[in-house]
Amino acid sequence: MAMGDQLIRDEPKRVHIRTYGCQMNVYDSERMRDALTDSGYVDTDRAEDADLVILNTCHIREKATEKVYSELGRFKARKRENPNLRIAVAGCVAQAEGEEVMRRQPLVDFVVGPQSYHRLAEMVRTDSRETNTDFPRASKFDSLPERSTIQRRASAFLTVQEGCDKFCSFCVVPYTRGAESSRPVESILQEAERLVEQGVREIVLLGQNVNAYHGIGADNRQWSLAEIINRLARIEGLCRIRFTTSHPLDMTDDLIAAFAECDKLMPYLHLPVQTGSDKVLKAMNRRHCAADYLDIIGKIRAARPDILLSGDFIVGFPGESESDFEQTLSIVRQVRYGHAYSFRYSPRPGTPVADRPQVDSAAAADRLGRLQTLLRSQQEMALQSMVGRRLPILFERRGRKRGQLAGKSEYQHAVHCQADDDMLGEVTEVYISSAEANSLSGEIVVA
Ligand code: SAH
Ligand code: SF4
Ligand code: F3S
């Protein structure tokens, strides 16, 4: 490389990564950033300064995918101004329709699927237009460089499990992320210890189906997620552990018991049910009925009565009748969620129900509105129930207003509070004085 770019330019190259979709993409983006930093790139949050732009995409609903194409369209002018700008598409759209992305958008230089990020540094060095969406045998986790010492927030994601074998009939994840696979215990522990050394106080264990975790330990045995949590709890300096997202079928007794027994496991659980109708649950291939779900919720509440439950819902699944939908409202009333996401069904190419007749659009929109009104009122109740209490808050970042820090309660509510910067990364008792639509405010309790 006689006249390589690096030699001509004094400045290091800059990378701008945009992340869409779930927390696993947030984690992957961090790992990509670390890998590129290792290869001499500097991170920038301004796309206009970048030499390399990576869109880390989501394919879960049609809107998510369309966003990628419209975002790419916006880079057309920028690429005309700067012909050296390289644009990459990563994530689940890359995996699902990488070749189509290359055809539809000639300005894309390369496409890299979620299992191939360890090849990223090599791909940015070559000039060819390339699509890399293999599911290699070697895991990206073992081949990516160690996580760098970039200034970390107090809370960090750590992916322990990827892919999914559940094949819910609406979902693209088994196709975009591939078969379910769990990282070995030792590599998780090492990463966790390193994060804590870097100042992380809360670790959120991630997986598309995280409670199906069954990685191999140094003892050659398969560990459960509960065992990982209990082991992580022994790391000094780590204050809080969370995990997401879980499938009801994998909510094992040892994991439920961890909510009672492990102080560091936070009282918050995202456990999607999608619908309250047994008929729709069956058509979705969720492999449990509404009563099974309520049973599990009962056991979890027995173990940890104050737990805050969160969920996902799909309305307008093909064949959903008004009475099916009312069963969704009914299960929501029975569970009482503190937080939830709800979506209108979006037919995804390649999934088994994509071609079924759709629920009337106006009816689906009306149902989503009614469900969201109910969920919002439950969320407000959960927030209001915190007012007047003293709660331990982990301060994670500066707040929007001067002199303010933003943190999280054990129940994962965002909390804003006047506090000095040196409180960042500390768990402090806060008196909750008011609740807003999505967050709480309070004052530090002076001892
Ligand atoms: N593994 C998680 C969900 C991952 S996808 C689980 O099993 O619960 C996140 C959420 O997106 C799902 O829970 C579902 O509510 C929603 N979702 C997935 N596919 C969808 C589709 N085709 N249309 C609408 N919502 C969808
Ligand atoms: Fe998708 Fe979750 Fe079902 Fe897996 S368990 S197919 S990720 S919805
Ligand atoms: Fe989206 Fe892929 Fe996550 S489809 S939700 S980014 S696993």
Side-chain angles (χ1 to χ4, degrees), residues 132-205:
N132 193 331
T133 48
D134 298 343
F135 284 107
R137 284 184 65 122
S139 142
K140 67 179 175 195
F141 300 109
D142 303 326
S143 321
L144 279 165
E146 269 198 12
R147 297 184 73 175
S148 75
T149 48
I150 295 173
Q151 191 70 40
R152 300 229 175 263
R153 278 198 188 162
S155 176
F157 292 136
L158 200 174
T159 295
V160 299
Q161 178 276 336
E162 269 212 289
C164 185
D165 293 338
K166 293 279 193 290
F167 290 95
C168 301
S169 60
F170 51 81
C171 183
V172 292
V173 170
Y175 313 98
T176 61
R177 294 278 173 162
E180 209 262 282
S181 86
S182 298
R183 280 176 77 178
V185 174
E186 289 310 305
S187 98
I188 295 167
L189 297 182
Q190 275 167 25
E191 189 170 328
E193 268 156 20
R194 205 171 145 78
L195 287 170
V196 175
E197 278 164 24
Q198 292 168 6
V200 166
R201 295 290 166 258
E202 172 183 277
I203 290 182
V204 186
L205 303 173

Side-chain angles (χ1 to χ4, degrees), residues 35-104:
L36 289 166
T37 312
D38 257 35
S39 324
Y41 275 82
V42 173
D43 182 47
T44 173
D45 50 15
R46 287 163 49 95
E48 49 276 32
D49 296 344
D51 305 280
L52 170 65
V53 169
I54 301 176
L55 302 186
N56 192 8
T57 63
C58 174
H59 194 55
I60 201 84
R61 285 168 289 275
E62 195 182 352
K63 259 193 201 150
T65 305
E66 279 315 311
K67 209 190 257 173
V68 177
Y69 287 104
S70 68
E71 195 62 37
L72 280 171
R74 265 177 247 146
F75 279 100
K76 231 177 231 162
R78 197 153 291 143
K79 189 136 180 170
R80 226 176 287 128
E81 287 160 22
N82 173 11
N84 291 326
L85 172 65
R86 304 195 72 207
I87 296 179
V89 175
C92 291
V93 175
Q95 190 64 46
E97 45 191 64
E99 300 289 350
E100 197 188 328
V101 171
M102 288 292 236
R103 258 197 317 274
R104 256 176 87 174

